[in-house]
Amino acid sequence: MTTFTYNKLLIGLIIIGLLAAVTVDWQRHTVEQANSTVELVMEYEDLVELAQIEGVQPDSLLTQFKTAGITSLAVYEATLEKLNKSGKITALPGAEILHQNRTGTLTDPFWRSLIAEGKIKAEDVYVVGQDKKVFMEVLSDLNRRLGPGRVTLLAEGERPVLAAKANFEKVVKWNLGLPSDELAAVDKLGFYVVPRPTNYTKVTPDDVNSVFSRLSGINNLSSMIFVGDEVLGYPDLLPLTASNFKERKLTLAMIEHPLQLQFFKQEGLIELAVANNYQSARVYTIPKDEQPKLKLAEAIQRWAVTDQERNIRINLMRKYEKPEPGKTLVETNLAYVSGVKEDLIAAGFTTGRATTFKPYFPAPWLLAVIVLGATAAGVLYLSLVYPFSARWQYALVALLAAVLIFPILKGGGTLSRQMAGLASAILFPALAMTWQLDRWRAQEAVGQFGHSANIGRIITAGLGALVVTTLLSLVGGLYLGAVLSDVRFFLEMEIFRGVKLTFVAPLILVTIVYLTRYNLFDNALSRDARGLWRQVVTILNYPVTIRALLFVGAAAFAAWVFIGRSGHTAGVPVPAAELKLRALLEQVMYARPRGKEFLIGHPAFLLAAMAVYRQWPRLVQYILIITATIAQGSIVETFAHLRTPIFMSVIRGLDGLVLGAVVGAAAVIGVYVIQVVIARLGRSPAAHE
C-alpha cells in the first residue's frame, strides 16, 4: 500500500500564508465595519406624483417621508413633456399653431403677427416660457443638445418664445438639464440631493461644467447617479468630471446589475471611480416588474439582507403603486420606508449620507506570502496524488511562486492574485477531504472498521471529522478572502473569476485522490498510486447496461442542477419551498447558510462516515464522499463574493456546519433505524410456517 507523506515544510508555508491571510482579513474587516451608513433614496418626481394622487401639498408629504426615514431625493433632468405637464412652460409643434390659424381659433395677435412675418414653420417646435428661469435653462440646454443655429429666440420679456428645429415627438422627451428649482426645493427641505444627469453627444468642457453649475448653492449634495449608457464626460472628459466630483465631495453611485454581478453597464463608470479615488457606493433598486409581486414585509426584508450581504449603501426605493389592505397609498409607502429603516438599524446600520470604503490595498509583501502559501498547497496536493521527491517539490514551489509573486511586488499582479484565489478555492476543499480520506484509510488498514460499528461512535467520530474538515476548508476561504482584498473587489470593479470551476474542480480532484487510495469496484485498498490509471481503464471498458445509462442520466441531471444553480446567470429556477426556507433562515440566523451545505454536503459527510465505518460498497462510499465535497467547495466559494463582508462569510460557513451537523446526525439515525427495521423483518418467522 502506497504511503502518502504530508511534506511538513509545505504545510509550514501554508500556515505562514494563513497568518498573512488572517492579518489581511482583519484589516479588511476593519475597513468593512467603518462603512456602515446606508442612504435611503426616493425619486422626487415619484413623491410629487404621490402628493398629486392623494391631493396633499408636496412639501407636507415630503416632510412625512423624511420623518419616516428617507434621507435623500433623486432629481432627474427636466424634459419639455414634464415641464408642459407642470405648467412651467408651453411646448407646441409649429403645425398645431398653423392649424389653429387656418381654422380661425388662433386669436392671440402675438402669434398671428409671427405667422404673418413667416416665422412659424410647421416642422419646428415652439416653447413659451411661464417661468423665466426655467425658460432660460431650457434655452441653454436645447442649444447644447441641438447645436448652433437650430434654436432661435423669437421674443423676450414677460412671455419669452423660442423656436427649435427638431422633431416634436422626439424633442419633448429629451433630457434638458437638471432643474434648478427642484434641486433647491429638495435642498431647502433638508434632504440630501442626488442628481441624475445624462451625458451629451460630442460632450464639451462647457457641457460638463454646465451640469455642475446647476449644483452651485446646493448645500446637501450627496452622490450622483448617471442616467443612460454613459457617464457624464465620456469618453474624453472624465478627468474634468472627476475634478468636479472631488471639488464637491460627491460620491459616485454604481448601480448593481439585475443579475447581481458588477454594474448596470455605463461607459466610463469604472474609470471615473478610479479617478474619484474610489469614493463610490453600490446602489440597488428592486426591479420595477418585481416590486409589485412582493408584499411589504418581503420587500423590507429584501433591503436588510441586500445591504448586509452585498455592501449596498444606497437604497434607491420605488414607491408602491397600490395600497396594502387597510391602508391608504401614502400610509403604505410610509410603512415601507419606516420598515426598511427600522430593519437596518436593528442590523447595526445607521441611515444618512452613504459612507464609502477607504481606498484599501493590502501590503504587497503580505499578498506575496499568501500566494506562496497557495502555491505550496498546490504542490502538496500533487505530492498526495503521485509522490515525488521533496527536492522537486521545493523547486516547483519556488518556480510557480516566483512567476506569480513578481508582478505583485512590482505593484500590479491582479491576474496573479485572481489565479491564487481560484487555486485556493479549488485546492483547500480537496486537501481537507484528502486528509480525512487518509485518516479513514489508515484506520481501515489496521482493522478498526466493521459492519457492527456502534451508531453512537459513528456519529461522534463523524461529527469530529466534519468539524476538522470544515475548518481546513475554511482556511481556503480565508486565503481567498485575503488575496483578493482591496477596494476594487469590495466594489466589484474587479471580481473573482472561475465560479463554475470552483464547484466542479474540487469534485474532480477528490475523485482523483479517491482512485489512488481505493479500488472503486471492490472493498480492497489500492496498492499504489498507479491504481488510478488502471481504474480509469476499467471504467472506460465497463459494459453499458440500462442500469448504467440510468445512473449516468441521473448523475448528469444532478450535475445540471448543481452547475445551473451556481453563479449569476439565469439558470435552474429555485423552488418556492426553498425560497420560503431561505427567508426563514435569513430571519433567525445572522448569515443564512447555503442549502448545498447543510441539506446536502454535510449530511452526506456523516453518511459517508457511516459507510466507511460499516464497510458499505466502495461505490456507495465514493458517491457520498463526492457529495460531501460539494459542501466543502461551497464553504470556500462563499468567500469568492468579495462584496460580502468577510465576517459574514465566516459565520455563514459556521452556521452551515452547525445546521448540517444536526441534519446529518438525523440522517444517520434515520438510516440506522431503517436498517434495524429491515433486519428484524428479515428475521421474523413466516405467519403460517
Side-chain angles (χ1 to χ4, degrees), residues 10-241:
L10 296 184
I11 293 174
L13 292 177
I14 293 171
I15 293 172
I16 293 171
L18 176 60
L19 294 175
V22 170
T23 301
V24 173
D25 285 332
W26 178 255
Q27 293 173 353
R28 171 181 167 180
H29 174 64
T30 304
V31 171
E32 289 169 335
Q33 287 293 101
N35 182 22
S36 61
T37 302
V38 178
E39 193 165 346
L40 303 186
V41 185
M42 291 190 82
E43 296 174 6
Y44 176 76
E45 291 176 12
D46 270 5
L47 295 186
V48 170
E49 181 183 67
L50 182 59
Q52 293 169 348
I53 292 170
E54 294 294 297
V56 298
Q57 287 297 316
D59 284 5
S60 172
L61 185 67
L62 291 170
T63 301
Q64 292 181 60
F65 274 88
K66 189 174 188 298
T67 303
I70 290 298
T71 60
S72 314
L73 293 178
V75 179
Y76 286 81
E77 293 193 59
T79 67
L80 291 178
E81 186 175 61
K82 289 189 287 189
L83 293 172
N84 243 345
K85 289 179 180 178
S86 66
K88 295 176 182 177
I89 59 100
T90 301
L92 298 166
E96 183 177 329
I97 299 171
L98 293 174
H99 176 71
Q100 290 179 14
N101 185 56
R102 285 194 299 269
T103 58
T105 56
L106 186 65
T107 57
D108 191 327
F110 172 79
W111 289 107
R112 294 173 69 89
S113 65
L114 289 176
I115 292 173
E117 295 170 12
K119 293 182 178 179
I120 303 299
K121 307 292 183 184
E123 65 274 15
D124 289 353
V125 177
Y126 296 87
V127 178
V128 184
Q130 312 297 329
D131 183 310
K132 192 168 183 179
K133 185 175 182 180
V134 172
F135 177 84
M136 295 307 295
E137 289 179 352
V138 169
L139 173 63
S140 171
D141 221 69
L142 276 176
N143 270 312
R144 297 181 191 285
R145 302 286 179 182
L146 292 172
R150 292 183 62 181
V151 181
T152 305
L153 186 61
L154 297 181
E156 299 184 72
E158 292 298 319
R159 189 169 61 167
V161 179
L162 65 82
K165 293 188 177 299
N167 178 276
F168 180 79
E169 284 73 20
K170 301 285 187 185
V171 77
V172 292
K173 299 183 183 298
W174 285 1
N175 291 308
L176 298 177
L178 296 167
S180 298
D181 56 341
E182 292 184 7
L183 293 169
V186 171
D187 188 43
K188 184 178 179 181
L189 287 169
F191 291 95
Y192 286 106
V193 180
V194 180
R196 300 211 60 185
T198 56
N199 197 24
Y200 290 82
T201 303
K202 293 186 177 180
V203 61
T204 67
D206 191 47
D207 294 333
V208 173
N209 289 327
S210 73
V211 172
F212 290 99
S213 69
R214 300 272 178 99
L215 303 178
S216 298
I218 304 300
N219 298 312
N220 298 314
L221 280 175
S222 167
S223 56
M224 186 171 282
I225 308 177
F226 291 107
V227 176
D229 299 329
E230 302 171 349
V231 303
L232 179 66
Y234 180 83
D236 300 322
L237 297 176
L238 293 178
L240 178 59
T241 302

Side-chain angles (χ1 to χ4, degrees), residues 247-501:
E247 181 183 338
R248 292 163 177 79
K249 297 181 180 179
L250 275 168
T251 298
L252 175 62
M254 309 172 83
I255 305 173
E256 185 181 69
H257 192 278
L259 292 178
Q260 297 179 12
L261 182 65
Q262 292 195 289
F263 311 106
F264 177 79
K265 187 172 178 57
Q266 289 182 315
E267 299 292 347
L269 185 68
I270 302 298
E271 295 90 335
L272 183 57
V274 175
N276 196 39
N277 199 29
Y278 303 101
Q279 297 306 292
S280 303
R282 288 165 48 77
V283 182
Y284 176 68
T285 184
I286 298 176
K288 186 177 292 186
D289 58 344
E290 185 180 355
Q291 179 163 315
K293 302 173 187 176
L294 297 175
K295 294 180 180 177
L296 218 58
E298 294 172 335
I300 291 170
Q301 185 184 359
R302 167 82 64 88
W303 285 113
V305 171
T306 296
D307 295 333
Q308 280 184 297
E309 295 194 354
R310 302 208 299 275
N311 275 328
I312 298 297
R313 291 298 175 264
I314 297 180
N315 294 353
L316 185 55
M317 303 170 67
R318 291 188 172 94
K319 73 179 190 299
Y320 269 86
E321 303 289 350
K322 293 182 179 179
E324 287 271 292
K327 291 186 175 73
T328 67
L329 189 56
V330 168
E331 289 170 342
T332 297
N333 282 283
L334 288 172
Y336 177 37
V337 171
S338 60
V340 171
K341 180 180 179 179
E342 289 167 7
D343 271 23
L344 287 176
I345 291 173
F349 292 101
T350 55
T351 59
R353 180 178 177 179
T355 47
T356 58
F357 287 112
K358 183 178 77 173
Y360 169 73
F361 293 90
W365 72 269
L366 283 172
L367 295 175
V369 174
I370 296 168
V371 171
L372 178 62
T375 306
V379 174
L380 178 63
Y381 172 81
L382 292 176
S383 72
L384 294 174
V385 171
Y386 193 89
F388 56 104
S389 71
R391 180 180 62 183
W392 285 107
Q393 292 177 32
Y394 303 146
L396 187 56
V397 169
L399 176 63
L400 293 175
V403 171
L404 293 173
I405 289 173
F406 179 73
I408 293 174
L409 295 179
K410 291 285 287 182
T414 298
L415 179 59
S416 293
R417 294 167 62 188
Q418 289 172 322
M419 292 173 65
L422 179 59
S424 299
I426 292 171
L427 288 167
F428 281 95
L431 286 171
M433 291 300 296
T434 299
W435 177 83
Q436 184 54 48
L437 283 172
D438 283 340
R439 284 192 65 218
W440 282 335
R441 183 168 176 257
Q443 290 173 286
E444 184 177 356
V446 296
Q448 292 188 15
F449 299 151
H451 293 282
S452 60
N454 180 272
I455 190 68
R457 179 190 171 200
I458 290 173
I459 292 176
T460 302
L463 288 174
L466 175 61
V467 170
V468 174
T469 304
T470 299
L471 292 177
L472 291 176
S473 292
L474 273 173
V475 170
L478 295 174
Y479 262 78
L480 172 56
V483 78
L484 297 182
S485 277
D486 70 46
V487 66
R488 300 170 304 155
F489 287 95
F490 303 160
L491 291 171
E492 280 202 338
M493 295 164 59
E494 292 283 356
I495 59 173
F496 172 86
R497 300 187 185 278
V499 171
K500 301 287 187 186
L501 194 59

Side-chain angles (χ1 to χ4, degrees), residues 405-608:
I405 289 173
F406 179 73
I408 293 174
L409 295 179
K410 291 285 287 182
T414 298
L415 179 59
S416 293
R417 294 167 62 188
Q418 289 172 322
M419 292 173 65
L422 179 59
S424 299
I426 292 171
L427 288 167
F428 281 95
L431 286 171
M433 291 300 296
T434 299
W435 177 83
Q436 184 54 48
L437 283 172
D438 283 340
R439 284 192 65 218
W440 282 335
R441 183 168 176 257
Q443 290 173 286
E444 184 177 356
V446 296
Q448 292 188 15
F449 299 151
H451 293 282
S452 60
N454 180 272
I455 190 68
R457 179 190 171 200
I458 290 173
I459 292 176
T460 302
L463 288 174
L466 175 61
V467 170
V468 174
T469 304
T470 299
L471 292 177
L472 291 176
S473 292
L474 273 173
V475 170
L478 295 174
Y479 262 78
L480 172 56
V483 78
L484 297 182
S485 277
D486 70 46
V487 66
R488 300 170 304 155
F489 287 95
F490 303 160
L491 291 171
E492 280 202 338
M493 295 164 59
E494 292 283 356
I495 59 173
F496 172 86
R497 300 187 185 278
V499 171
K500 301 287 187 186
L501 194 59
T502 62
F503 283 100
V504 177
L507 309 186
I508 297 172
L509 296 185
V510 172
T511 295
I512 292 171
V513 167
Y514 190 88
L515 295 179
T516 62
R517 284 149 171 80
Y518 296 100
N519 190 326
L520 196 59
F521 300 96
D522 60 47
N523 272 26
L525 297 172
S526 290
R527 290 184 174 275
D528 53 49
R530 289 173 294 180
L532 168 65
W533 175 246
R534 288 197 295 270
Q535 291 192 72
V536 170
V537 172
T538 303
I539 293 170
L540 292 175
N541 292 328
Y542 198 84
V544 178
T545 62
I546 297 298
R547 182 175 64 180
L549 286 174
L550 289 173
F551 177 79
V552 171
F557 176 76
W560 174 71
V561 173
F562 177 56
I563 301 300
R565 291 281 298 275
S566 66
H568 296 274
T569 54
V572 179
V574 182
E578 184 176 344
L579 291 174
K580 290 180 180 178
L581 178 60
R582 288 182 180 185
L584 174 63
L585 292 174
E586 284 167 354
Q587 290 178 332
V588 300
M589 305 187 83
Y590 177 78
R592 173 181 62 81
R594 289 176 154 188
K596 60 175 68 72
E597 294 170 27
F598 75 88
L599 289 177
I600 299 173
H602 293 330
F605 188 101
L606 289 173
L607 289 173

